[in-house]
Amino acid sequence: MTNNNTLSEPLEKTKTIAEKTVYSILFTISLSHLLNDMLQSVIPSIYPLIKTNYHLSFSDIGLVTLTYQLSASLLQPFVGMYTDKKPKPYSLAIGMGFTLSGLICLAQASGFYWILLSVMLIGIGSSIFHPESSRVAHMASGGKRGLAQSIFQLGGNAGSALGPLLAALIVVPFGQSSVMWFSLVALLAIVILYYIGNWYKGVAVSKTKAVKIPSEKHHSLSSTRVSVSLAILIVLIFSKYFYLASITSYYTFFLIDKFHLSVQASQIQLFIFLGAVAAGTMAGGPLGDRFGRKYIIWISILGVAPFTMLLPYANLFWTTILSVFIGLIISSAFSAILVYAQELMPGKVGMIAGLFFGFAFGMGGLGSAILGKLADTTSISYVFHVCAYLPLIGILTAFLPNLEVKKKKAAGI
């Protein structure tokens, strides 16, 4: 009798963890995502400064983004695949250590190649952070996976919005060396991630000791249909992040060129857009949980097209208004896409998170490099005219299966 009680304790603990939404961990990992992405967003925020200081072309700026995004993307699927099999609770804090090193190097960089090395280190930190932190959000979701990913993504988007604002207040007035102050934020994040690592370790140990709890519901789709659906999702990520690359890397230049704004004023405009992205993020996950992720993906990608096509022709007032609508609508897609993909391949949380975060960063980097070259050969205004049509690719969402219906049929409902 005593032995049965002893054996049942870890099982009950694991079931409780699996069934209960752990909001304290969700909001803590969201805070760490805020800090991480705030530090990451310092890179594009100082582009006008380093472009002037080092006499860089738009192609050079694109190469900086490409270096960062590739280092932030290529490792992510491999990190996710590895930690699916062997969880590494303290890898989050280690990843932030790479980011800390990159920030210190960036503050002291004296040339273009030092800048490339700095952003590469920051990118490596991001490649370790995102798959594992997404897994933590999944573990703490209690089954509310869309809500959990939205809370997690909210932190990241809020951090991305804060980065340009802090850069406008700190880096632009005080110069490149002031980036060093952001290393204090990285140190704070390391402490928070160590705390999360302790919780993560406790859950991982409990699961290995306990009898396995029932797995997530599987769909009845064939492997071919799953592969095609994943390919469609990747194309949708391409359209979303290729467009976002035009905003995050070149929106300030577009505003300076078209409306003759100051660097600080253009950073405030970027903050407004990224703030709208942060606000819209929270809606995508819960709405996907309630109405179906396919519909949210459809609305988020294709639905933003009218606004992106109007943006290049608007005056400053309407540019601001349109940027808010674009940010609100397009930001709801990623949480829905990520959870949809994880439902397509149950049990591959880390690999899917790494693949999609990695591909998103990779597309952002590739997009920035290509658009930088295009801006050099044409104009920054032309870039925004071309990118305006990318969301039309969202029509491919029509070919995605409705997983909620498939699950009900598989369950005999």
Side-chain angles (χ1 to χ4, degrees):
M1 188 75 177
T2 305
N3 288 338
N4 288 338
N5 289 336
T6 304
L7 290 171
S8 65
E9 286 176 4
L11 175 58
E12 292 303 319
K13 183 179 179 181
T14 304
K15 285 183 177 180
T16 300
I17 291 169
E19 295 170 0
K20 184 179 179 182
T21 304
V22 189
Y23 286 101
S24 61
I25 293 297
L26 282 180
F27 284 108
T28 304
I29 197 65
S30 181
L31 172 61
S32 67
H33 199 187
L34 183 152
L35 298 177
N36 179 81
D37 283 24
M38 182 181 75
L39 298 175
Q40 310 288 323
S41 68
V42 169
I43 296 173
S45 298
I46 65 170
Y47 282 170
L49 182 67
I50 63 174
K51 185 176 187 295
T52 300
N53 290 350
Y54 299 100
H55 309 290
L56 304 180
S57 66
F58 283 118
S59 296
D60 292 330
I61 293 294
L63 184 58
V64 172
T65 303
L66 180 62
T67 300
Y68 159 66
Q69 299 285 28
L70 286 180
S71 64
S73 63
L74 294 180
L75 290 177
Q76 288 203 38
F78 299 103
V79 171
M81 289 173 65
Y82 179 74
T83 54
D84 276 337
K85 298 176 181 178
K86 298 180 179 180
K88 299 294 180 183
Y90 299 107
S91 61
L92 288 165
I94 294 170
M96 189 57 65
F98 278 95
T99 299
L100 173 62
S101 301
L103 289 168
I104 294 172
C105 288
L106 185 59
Q108 302 298 319
S110 57
F112 181 61
Y113 293 107
W114 273 107
I115 292 173
L116 293 181
L117 175 63
S118 302
V119 300
M120 183 180 70
L121 288 171
I122 295 172
I124 292 172
S126 181
S127 70
I128 297 172
F129 175 84
H130 283 98
E132 281 297 84
S133 56
S134 182
R135 182 198 306 281
V136 169
H138 184 87
M139 291 166 65
S141 69
K144 299 176 181 178
R145 293 186 292 277
L147 174 64
Q149 283 298 326
S150 283
I151 292 173
F152 172 64
Q153 286 296 116
L154 177 64
N157 289 331
S160 296
L162 284 173
L165 180 63
L166 292 177
L169 296 174
I170 298 172
V171 181
V172 174
F174 300 106
Q176 180 183 336
S177 61
S178 63
V179 172
M180 186 68 75
W181 287 105
F182 289 91
S183 63
L184 297 177
V185 177
L187 287 171
L188 172 62
I190 288 173
V191 174
I192 294 172
L193 291 171
Y194 182 80
Y195 159 75
I196 291 174
N198 287 334
W199 178 86
Y200 181 175
K201 182 179 179 180
V203 174
V205 169
S206 296
K207 285 187 175 181
T208 56
K209 288 183 177 179
V211 179
K212 287 187 177 180
I213 58 174
S215 60
E216 298 171 7
K217 290 182 180 179
H218 286 60
H219 52 72
S220 58
L221 297 174
S222 67
S223 58
T224 301
R225 191 69 191 278
V226 169
S227 298
V228 171
S229 298
L230 286 175
I232 292 172
L233 293 175
I234 287 173
V235 172
L236 295 177
I237 288 288
F238 159 79
S239 69
K240 171 182 165 65
Y241 279 91
F242 217 86
Y243 181 79
L244 284 178
S246 69
I247 299 288
T248 55
S249 294
Y250 302 110
Y251 189 48
T252 54
F253 295 111
F254 170 74
L255 295 171
I256 291 169
D257 176 70
K258 185 175 181 179
F259 302 113
H260 309 292
L261 299 184
S262 67
V263 172
Q264 284 185 312
S266 68
Q267 294 286 8
I268 297 300
Q269 290 289 324
L270 181 59
F271 167 73
I272 291 171
F273 168 76
L274 294 175
V277 169
T281 297
M282 197 61 200
L287 288 175
D289 284 340
R290 182 165 182 175
F291 299 108
R293 308 191 206 290
K294 176 179 174 179
Y295 303 110
I296 301 305
I297 296 169
W298 181 280
I299 293 170
S300 180
I301 304 292
L302 188 61
V304 80
F307 302 98
T308 62
M309 289 188 284
L310 285 172
L311 184 69
Y313 304 98
N315 60 25
L316 180 59
F317 172 79
W318 283 108
T319 294
T320 304
I321 299 300
L322 288 170
S323 73
V324 170
F325 278 103
I326 292 169
L328 286 170
I329 296 171
I330 205 169
S331 62
S332 62
F334 191 76
S335 293
I337 289 174
L338 183 62
V339 176
Y340 186 100
Q342 289 173 341
E343 290 176 345
L344 280 173
M345 297 189 68
K348 304 292 184 181
V349 176
M351 186 191 76
I352 291 296
L355 176 64
F356 278 83
F357 275 112
F359 191 77
F361 286 137
M363 282 301 99
L366 181 62
S368 184
I370 293 174
L371 296 177
K373 188 67 176 177
L374 183 62
D376 280 335
T377 55
T378 56
S379 69
I380 197 70
S381 178
Y382 183 74
V383 167
F384 279 78
H385 280 82
V386 171
C387 290
Y389 296 93
L390 284 171
L392 293 177
I393 295 175
I395 199 168
L396 292 175
T397 306
F399 298 100
L400 291 174
N402 190 328
L403 290 184
E404 285 73 18
V405 173
K406 295 287 183 181
K407 283 181 179 179
K408 288 180 181 179
K409 288 182 178 179
I413 298 175

